[in-house]
Amino acid sequence: YDLAMPQSSQSSRDDVRAQIIAAARSSFARLGVHRTRIEDVAAEAGTVRTSVYRYFAGRDQLVEEALLERIREFGSDLRAGTDLEAVDLVREFVDLVIRSIRMGREDPEFTYLIEALPRRISSFLTGLGSPIHQIVFDTFEPVILRGRERELIREDAADHDIVEWIQGVTTLFVPREDLSDFEERRRIRTFLVPAVFYPG
């Protein structure tokens, strides 16, 4: 169907937006972010340029939306791989943090999308009000809630504050390819775990 046709419902508009974002991701992968034009995205989506502009301000917004979509996929994969029944919940938490760092470090799509937003990346990735905060919150909340049930999580730390701290730490670690697995885990246990869990 023609994306240029007016959409009568929110779900239809959401479907069109998702289709354009998927087309942008495909175009970015095929052509490179900086060589991709709105015309390329429109052609990939089977529509015209003006239809893309009806939903997105331009390429920068498409890069942001593509990045958000990739991070949502990370979150889904991370949640699926987390054992909330683990006896050692602290170890499970550390593993979750390490896996999130590795995804950000090793995923080619994430890497080139991040590199396309160098000036804005700090505010886009970190902070309570960032668009990524809710995704990270949804990823780590099950472990935090289970930790609270077991009375392992510090009562003086609010859930959103914990997640904001996790965001900041993972953002710092993603570019650090010089650290061994042992050293990475040691630093997470030494500096992040005490900010979240009670000692011992």
Side-chain angles (χ1 to χ4, degrees), residues 24 32 37 64 68 80 85 90 112 116 125 160 191:
R37 302 165 304 149
E64 288 183 4
L68 282 171
E85 303 307 320
V90 174
Y112 65 66
L125 279 183
H160 280 283
F191 300 110

Side-chain angles (χ1 to χ4, degrees), residues 25-165:
R25 291 178 70 182
S26 176
S27 298
F28 294 152
R30 187 167 41 85
L31 304 171
V33 175
H34 296 296
R35 286 190 300 245
T36 297
R37 302 165 304 149
I38 294 299
E39 291 85 349
D40 300 317
V41 175
E44 185 79 23
T47 188
V48 294
R49 189 171 171 265
T50 53
S51 295
V52 176
Y53 280 118
R54 183 174 294 134
Y55 294 92
F56 301 97
R59 187 178 61 190
D60 285 350
Q61 188 182 3
L62 283 169
V63 172
E64 288 183 4
E65 294 294 335
L67 183 60
L68 282 171
E69 191 61 29
R70 188 65 187 123
I71 293 172
R72 283 188 193 99
E73 292 166 357
F74 285 173
S76 178
D77 290 345
L78 289 165
R79 284 191 303 275
T82 302
D83 180 8
L84 297 177
E85 303 307 320
V87 174
D88 189 345
L89 197 65
V90 174
R91 180 182 179 135
E92 195 67 21
F93 172 81
V94 171
D95 285 346
L96 178 57
V97 173
I98 294 292
R99 287 188 293 121
S100 69
I101 291 168
R102 298 273 163 75
M103 281 184 170
R105 182 181 296 151
E106 297 169 3
D107 184 74
E109 182 181 14
F110 179 83
T111 300
Y112 65 66
L113 291 172
I114 286 290
E115 288 172 355
L117 295 172
R119 290 170 298 181
R120 301 167 59 193
I121 198 59
S122 181
S123 61
F124 188 65
L125 279 183
T126 61
L128 196 58
S130 76
I132 291 174
H133 179 80
Q134 190 61 47
I135 300 169
V136 179
F137 185 84
D138 292 344
T139 301
F140 282 87
E141 183 186 33
V143 175
I144 293 169
L145 290 177
R146 186 52 53 95
R148 291 209 186 278
E149 287 172 9
R150 297 188 192 177
E151 300 181 344
L152 300 172
I153 303 285
R154 291 172 45 164
E155 290 181 11
D156 61 341
D159 292 357
H160 280 283
D161 292 338
I162 290 171
V163 171
E164 186 176 8
W165 186 238

